[in-house]
Amino acid sequence: MNTFDAKQLARPELLELTPYQSARRIGGRGDIWINANESPFNNSDIDKLNRYPECQPPELIEAYAAYAGVNTQQLIASRGADEAIELLIRTFCVPGKDSIAIFGPTYGMYAISAATFNVEVTALSLTGDYQLPESWPTQIGGAKLVFICNPNNPTGTVISKADIEQAIISAPQAIVVIDEAYIEFRPEYSVADLLEKYPNLVVLRTLSKAFALAGARCGFMLANQAIIDLVMLVIAPYPVPLPVSVLATQALSSDGIALMQQQVASLNQQGERLSQVLIQIGANVLKANGNFVLAQFEDVSKIATLLANNGIVARAYKDPRLANAIRFSFASIAQTDKLVEVLLSSN
């Protein structure tokens, strides 16, 4: 039986905190709104842009809840998934005392966000085939948050849903955070449907990847209400700008979701083309499960120079395990044509 209690993990001072009551949280009814020191003049074509937005815009929350298959009480919208990472650390980790656990190589912001709050990072290594190491729960000490990126960035590898569920079970007194930024490319690996079963599970999502809204900065935290209520104590008064909410809600319409799925299929096709060419020129290519592929080269500097000389910007890494690797994001047909031409010229 899971006896997890989110309040026992929260920073003690938060339990006595009265959150800032913004004008929108207080609300009210009337025709003349003079409670928020806003300008009465709207100088934009966007309706109500002169007014502060809702902290959690109802239309956006309802749209994403329907898309993700959760209820609206299990959801927070944030400025990208990056803000959700920071919110979790701020809510549950006491600076100078608490720690998080990560499994590398993985997304760098987990460790950086922890460091900026003086929270220790227990960094464990994924196995040779980028799976969770054995007996990892005995190696994380009292880590309050365990971050697992699935599909993983930058390797593009996946951990099976069964293994993710076992990880949640194996750390019953920690919050297990599954970062599903790339889940639209492998939706069968999502664990959002396990929220009701596991009170210590958090799922992170974003509209930056498959939904093509990286510039809008809109992400989501999916969790049970006990965790949501605690995080809402520390969230900014207005985390979702009005134009972002409008764009995001449109993207989550039935037409928007259909377009996303169509574009994901196209990106997967271009990724497969790219992967085959990388194999053809001798690279060791990891199977892609996101919108990118990681390739390892015998002479990575040669490929890096070739790309740079042709105006192609890809991602290299300092991590010792990735020193000979380059990550290629999937691109349009025309861009992939150019990339294929350049890579084939290396032979």
Side-chain angles (χ1 to χ4, degrees), residues 207-230:
L207 300 186
S208 294
K209 312 301 180 182
F211 281 93
L213 288 177
R217 309 307 300 130
C218 186
F220 301 90
M221 178 191 304
L222 285 58
N224 287 295
Q225 193 164 358
I227 291 176
I228 295 292
D229 288 346
L230 289 167

Side-chain angles (χ1 to χ4, degrees), residues 29 36 53 124 127 148 161 180 184 267 281 322:
R29 299 181 66 181
L124 304 179
T127 63
I148 301 172
K161 188 169 180 177
E180 294 187 347
E184 279 78 18
L267 287 170
I281 65 172
L322 304 177

Side-chain angles (χ1 to χ4, degrees), residues 22-56:
S22 69
R24 290 299 165 265
R25 280 196 180 186
I26 294 172
R29 299 181 66 181
D31 299 319
I32 299 176
W33 287 72
I34 53 173
N35 67 333
N37 297 341
E38 302 158 323
S39 171
F41 307 112
N42 185 2
N43 302 320
S44 167
D45 292 334
I46 300 175
D47 187 35
K48 297 181 180 178
L49 195 61
N50 58 315
R51 302 294 185 182
Y52 287 110
E54 297 283 352
C55 176
Q56 295 292 290

Side-chain angles (χ1 to χ4, degrees), residues 44-318:
S44 167
D45 292 334
I46 300 175
D47 187 35
K48 297 181 180 178
L49 195 61
N50 58 315
R51 302 294 185 182
Y52 287 110
E54 297 283 352
C55 176
Q56 295 292 290
E59 297 85 356
L60 175 59
I61 294 298
E62 290 168 8
Y64 200 83
Y67 169 71
V70 300
N71 65 57
T72 56
Q73 287 74 44
Q74 294 175 306
L75 189 62
I76 286 178
S78 59
R79 288 169 287 211
D82 290 331
E83 185 186 28
I85 294 167
E86 290 199 352
L87 287 170
L88 287 167
I89 292 171
R90 287 173 54 203
T91 302
F92 294 101
C93 295
V94 177
K97 175 184 176 182
D98 289 328
S99 65
I100 70 167
I102 63 174
F103 303 91
T106 193
Y107 184 45
M109 283 307 297
Y110 312 136
I112 291 173
S113 293
T116 60
F117 290 106
N118 192 24
V119 170
E120 184 180 348
V121 178
T122 300
L124 304 179
S125 293
L126 294 169
T127 63
D129 56 352
Y130 303 106
Q131 299 299 297
L132 294 173
E134 290 187 10
S135 305
W136 64 264
T138 65
Q139 302 173 48
I140 64 171
K144 284 189 170 180
L145 300 167
V146 178
F147 287 92
I148 301 172
C149 191
N150 199 48
N152 187 46
N153 174 23
T155 62
T157 49
V158 287
I159 299 170
S160 73
K161 188 169 180 177
D163 286 348
I164 292 290
E165 184 169 7
Q166 186 56 50
I168 300 165
I169 295 170
S170 298
Q173 298 308 314
I175 295 174
V176 180
V177 185
I178 309 302
D179 186 345
E180 294 187 347
Y182 300 92
I183 202 63
E184 279 78 18
F185 294 88
R186 289 294 182 270
E188 66 272 21
Y189 285 89
S190 177
V191 292
D193 62 322
L194 298 180
L195 281 174
E196 295 286 355
K197 190 174 181 181
Y198 298 107
N200 62 323
L201 171 63
V202 171
V203 175
L204 303 184
R205 295 282 189 84
T206 184
L207 300 186
S208 294
K209 312 301 180 182
F211 281 93
L213 288 177
R217 309 307 300 130
C218 186
F220 301 90
M221 178 191 304
L222 285 58
N224 287 295
Q225 193 164 358
I227 291 176
I228 295 292
D229 288 346
L230 289 167
V231 173
M232 286 297 293
L233 294 173
V234 303
I235 199 168
Y238 309 107
V240 186
L242 179 60
V244 171
S245 177
V246 171
L247 287 170
T249 303
Q250 290 173 349
L252 291 163
S253 67
S254 57
D255 287 346
I257 292 171
L259 178 62
M260 176 273 290
Q261 293 170 336
Q262 174 188 331
Q263 292 175 341
V264 164
S266 175
L267 287 170
N268 283 336
Q269 290 175 352
Q270 300 316 306
E272 182 60 28
R273 284 182 62 203
L274 176 59
S275 295
Q276 292 304 315
V277 170
L278 288 166
I279 293 170
Q280 185 178 335
I281 65 172
N284 179 29
V285 177
L286 292 176
K287 177 177 171 53
N289 293 283
N291 66 337
F292 60 90
V293 61
L294 188 74
Q296 297 171 318
F297 302 89
E298 288 188 9
D299 188 350
V300 70
S301 61
K302 172 187 173 183
I303 300 298
T305 300
L306 177 69
L307 295 173
N309 288 344
N310 284 274
I312 296 171
V313 183
R315 186 71 174 266
Y317 294 91
K318 296 180 180 179

